Amino acid sequence: MISTLIEKIKEKKAPVVVGLDPMFSYIPKHITDAAFEQFEETLGTAGEAIWQFNKEIIDQIYDLVPAVKPQIAMYEQYGLPGMMVFDKTVKYCKQKGLVVIGDIKRGDIGSTSEAYANGHIGTVTIGRTELRGFYEDIVTVNPYLGSDGVLPFVDACKIHDKGIFVLVKTSNPSSGEFQDRLVDGKPLYELVAEKVNEWGADCMDGEYSEVGAVVGATYPEMGAVLRKKMPKAYILVPGYGAQGGTAESLRPYFNEDGLGAIVNSSRGIICAYQQDRYKEFGEQNFALASRQAVLDMIDDINSVL
């Protein structure tokens, strides 16, 4: 699957992924008003509004970017209607030819982790029929429980031609509370990077492994170290834009050929219409504002590669 993602990055000249992380407060009033009329004050209102919001944005950006990254928590908070929209969004993105990175951050003991892997990038067997629960191409994985929590996902990658991004050094301010702690003289994130290499060694898809890494844009010095320590791992880079990461800070995450990383922006894209920079689009044209924000992000990142 990572080779498919790389092909799309090359085709669109855009090492960019759009985070589809909708909150009800992000959605323009004309969409929420229509949803209230249909469903009143219920979870169905949130589901309908999020779907209409997502669909318009997807329609405006699918030709520009190789991938999207829906964060499942933003859908789970609205219960079953939210999860139905998550599924609907994933399927719609795939119809548009996008690679879908499910930001699910799962990781548990063996049997539970296997169930998560089966549900999101694998299959289950009902009687004599093999079925899929969800339809992501790649998912994010939390390695805190060790190999027991990660290897079921690696196995699913091998069987189903899927991919994972393992959390190595995250972009949030408190990540250092655990991730920067020294263990045998090394920061913990470097030890996780070594495991990423190990897990991915027999799960290659061309020049890169199906086992990638998440490394935040807010720590470029660490990103430079981790790029060298994980030469075969594609890096998913959150933290650009709203969290403070800049295009210049992204340079260390990429290889000399301009590959090796894909940069995420969520609020900076889907809430672009709320920014002064794009206010001329207005609420009604929120998706056009998102399109322009994507174009600006692509130009910004490519300017330093």
Side-chain angles (χ1 to χ4, degrees):
M1 179 51 62
I2 197 67
S3 64
T4 299
L5 177 61
I6 293 169
E7 286 172 11
K8 290 180 180 293
I9 290 171
K10 289 178 177 178
E11 174 192 337
K12 297 183 179 180
K13 297 181 175 60
V16 167
V17 55
V18 173
L20 297 176
D21 305 349
M23 297 285 283
F24 198 71
S25 60
Y26 297 171
I27 302 174
K29 188 174 183 297
H30 68 278
I31 293 179
T32 58
D33 283 350
F36 276 125
E37 284 186 18
Q38 188 173 355
F39 293 96
E40 299 181 343
E41 294 183 2
T42 66
L43 292 173
T45 296
E48 174 64 14
I50 289 170
W51 166 241
Q52 295 300 334
F53 181 67
N54 281 357
K55 186 176 182 298
E56 285 199 47
I57 290 174
I58 294 162
D59 286 344
Q60 287 296 332
I61 66 166
Y62 78 91
D63 61 319
L64 302 177
V65 299
V68 292
K69 184 176 71 64
Q71 163 53 258
I72 200 168
M74 301 304 180
Y75 303 84
E76 283 184 3
Q77 66 182 322
Y78 301 113
L80 288 177
M83 289 305 296
M84 290 172 68
V85 172
F86 176 82
D87 181 55
K88 200 172 180 179
T89 296
V90 169
K91 290 175 179 175
Y92 189 68
C93 289
K94 289 182 70 64
Q95 288 174 15
K96 292 290 189 178
L98 293 161
V99 171
V100 178
I101 303 169
D103 197 352
I104 64 173
K105 295 185 175 71
R106 299 296 198 254
D108 211 310
I109 59 171
S111 59
T112 310
S113 203
E114 182 179 355
Y116 281 136
N118 289 343
H120 287 276
I121 56 173
T123 59
V124 294
T125 301
I126 309 297
R128 291 177 292 179
T129 305
E130 195 171 335
L131 301 166
R132 295 199 63 184
F134 294 100
Y135 288 83
E136 302 102 309
D137 299 301
I138 303 171
V139 293
T140 55
V141 176
N142 190 327
Y144 191 77
L145 275 75
S147 295
D148 287 345
V150 177
L151 289 178
F153 287 93
V154 176
D155 290 341
C157 289
K158 294 176 184 176
I159 296 168
H160 301 285
D161 186 26
K162 300 295 181 179
I164 60 174
F165 285 113
V166 177
L167 305 182
V168 175
K169 176 59 184 173
T170 56
S171 59
N172 56 302
S174 65
S175 66
E177 290 178 358
F178 296 131
Q179 295 168 18
D180 296 0
R181 293 283 181 170
L182 295 183
V183 181
D184 296 331
K186 295 181 180 179
L188 180 58
Y189 61 78
E190 287 191 17
L191 298 181
V192 178
E194 291 173 6
K195 294 300 289 187
V196 166
N197 286 336
E198 179 185 319
W199 292 323
D202 64 343
C203 195
M204 299 296 295
D205 185 23
E207 293 186 19
Y208 289 92
S209 169
E210 300 282 29
V211 180
V214 176
V215 182
T218 45
Y219 303 103
E221 301 85 0
M222 298 173 187
V225 171
L226 290 167
R227 173 70 282 164
K228 292 176 182 177
K229 285 190 171 292
M230 300 181 292
K232 299 298 184 182
Y234 229 78
I235 297 177
L236 171 63
V237 188
Y240 172 87
Q243 293 187 51
T246 64
E248 189 58 39
S249 70
L250 297 172
R251 192 190 302 269
Y253 299 79
F254 289 86
N255 292 317
E256 291 183 2
D257 60 1
L259 298 174
I262 185 166
V263 183
N264 176 76
S265 180
S266 300
R267 282 172 291 166
I269 302 299
I270 66 174
C271 296
Y273 79 96
Q274 295 178 342
Q275 301 173 30
D276 288 343
R277 183 178 181 181
Y278 303 107
K279 64 181 179 182
E280 71 272 14
F281 287 95
E283 280 200 3
Q284 291 286 335
N285 295 315
F286 70 94
L288 289 174
S290 294
R291 181 180 178 84
Q292 186 59 53
V294 168
L295 289 168
D296 292 342
M297 180 181 176
I298 293 170
D299 287 345
D300 189 35
I301 293 172
N302 284 338
S303 72
V304 302
L305 296 182

